[in-house]
Amino acid sequence: EISSTREMINSKYDSYSSTQIIPSKKTVKCSGDQFLTFDPPYICVNSIVFAIVSITTSVEIPFNNLDIQVTAIILVKVPVITIPVEISKLTNLKWLVLSESISGTIPSQVGLLTNLVFCSFSRSKATEGLIPSELGYLTQLTSLEFSSTKISGNLPIELKFLTELNRLDFSSGLFEGAVPTCIFSLTKLTHLDFSYNLISGTMSSEFGLLTSLDTFLLRDGRFSGEIPSEFSRLTSLSAIRFDATNFSGKSPAIFLNLPMIKYIDLRNNTYNQLIFQNPSTSIEYLCLESCRLQGTIPSELGIMTNLKNILFHQNSLSGSIPSQIGLLTSLVSLILHENQLSGTLPSE
């Protein structure tokens, strides 16, 4: 993680000649005549970028002394700190990454950082409270992350104004209530993850508005009912993981027909049978483990020529294994145990 963070910073800011990684020095310049001393490993700071990665020594982060021109604050695995309200003066900030570093609540003053394009509080498990509605002022944001925190409540409706957002991750938290309606205004989203939360209810047909979605992750949810037909509009979707979400219905065919879909994981839901009607040939991974499926395995599986992994185990499928599976020349794994299947695998 440290090396990838270094690469990210170097890639993003390699146009700034004064930004560089310093792997051995302990005294680092942060702004003007201000210096900060701590143990490596860390990433260099200067008037453009202030970044520390994975230190063991508690340090006082000099927010008050940072140059007002700083464009990035990146603290990863830094001994727990709180976000001071003085951060609001850094109005040129574009990147704010406080991962595995902060405690307490997110101050409303973060909403004054209106030039932010990337904001992450991920894996800061001591972070709690509610998301301030003032984050709705950050209209240039393209990425917003709250994963693995103790933030609770629901997403404020004001987040609907973040119309440039393409990545939203609030997985592994304490969010509750119905699906936040603010999501449906974020039509540029390509990545959406709200797995492992306390959100419940049914899936809204308005998800069909998010036609730019490429990845949709919703694991271990508290939902009910069927997936609405409007999901067929998600024609850019390449990966979906809805495992253990309590969805039900006659068939998961609505996902099988998406033209760009490659990865489907719907394990631990309730579907009656497998119905393949013109399934997408782009699918590479298909998991319907423990979905209470009945009936036979459709022969149409044979036209899904890019399939590499089929996981249909722990269901109530019966009949013989269709010979058309022998046409799947890219197949790497076929898992069918704990069904009532008969016969042998095709020899092709």
Side-chain angles (χ1 to χ4, degrees), residues 159-291:
L159 296 193
K160 69 180 181 180
F161 299 118
L162 307 184
T163 54
E164 296 300 311
L165 212 59
N166 56 54
R167 179 182 176 87
L168 178 60
D169 184 349
F170 56 103
S171 59
S172 300
L174 298 176
F175 295 98
E176 57 189 356
V179 173
T181 57
C182 62
I183 289 177
F184 308 131
S185 300
L186 310 179
T187 55
K188 292 186 179 181
L189 278 180
T190 60
H191 179 102
L192 176 60
D193 187 355
F194 55 102
S195 304
Y196 301 113
N197 274 290
L198 305 177
I199 294 173
S200 59
T202 58
M203 290 296 278
S204 172
S205 61
E206 292 187 82
F207 275 106
L209 299 173
L210 305 181
T211 54
S212 297
L213 269 184
D214 172 83
T215 303
F216 194 174
L217 307 175
L218 175 53
R219 306 180 62 188
D220 196 20
R222 302 185 177 194
F223 292 87
S224 60
E226 298 189 25
I227 300 295
S229 60
E230 286 79 4
F231 269 65
S232 62
R233 300 175 185 170
L234 305 183
T235 53
S236 297
L237 202 63
S238 67
I240 189 160
R241 187 159 190 179
F242 277 15
D243 52 306
T245 49
N246 295 318
F247 290 125
S248 60
K250 294 181 179 178
S251 168
I254 191 168
F255 298 120
L256 301 175
N257 300 130
L258 296 173
M260 305 297 291
I261 197 73
K262 293 184 178 181
Y263 182 101
I264 300 176
D265 191 337
L266 304 175
R267 71 183 74 188
N268 296 310
N269 288 291
T270 302
Y271 297 104
N272 295 333
Q273 58 183 323
L274 280 174
I275 300 176
F276 288 14
Q277 297 175 338
N278 300 315
S280 172
T281 58
S282 63
I283 300 173
E284 299 179 3
Y285 182 98
L286 179 58
C287 180
L288 296 170
E289 170 197 346
S290 300
C291 284

Side-chain angles (χ1 to χ4, degrees), residues 3-39:
S3 61
S4 63
T5 304
R6 292 175 186 274
E7 292 170 3
M8 173 188 70
I9 296 170
N10 281 344
S11 174
K12 184 70 178 177
Y13 297 101
D14 57 6
S15 61
Y16 300 116
S17 59
S18 57
T19 301
Q20 56 184 320
I21 293 177
I22 303 180
S24 57
K25 293 182 181 179
K26 291 187 178 182
T27 301
V28 178
K29 185 175 182 180
C30 63
S31 172
D33 295 327
Q34 301 294 325
F35 289 82
L36 179 65
T37 302
F38 51 85
D39 295 326

Side-chain angles (χ1 to χ4, degrees), residues 91-106:
T91 54
N92 288 296
L93 271 183
K94 293 185 177 181
W95 278 45
L96 179 61
V97 181
L98 304 175
S99 180
E100 298 183 64
S101 299
I102 62 173
S103 66
T105 60
I106 299 172

Side-chain angles (χ1 to χ4, degrees), residues 297-305 307 310 320-329 331 345-348:
I297 298 176
S299 60
E300 288 85 353
L301 197 66
I303 70 173
M304 302 167 68
T305 52
L307 269 175
I310 301 174
S320 59
I321 300 172
S323 61
Q324 288 83 355
I325 284 183
L327 302 175
L328 304 178
T329 56
L331 198 62
L345 287 172
S347 57
E348 291 91 336

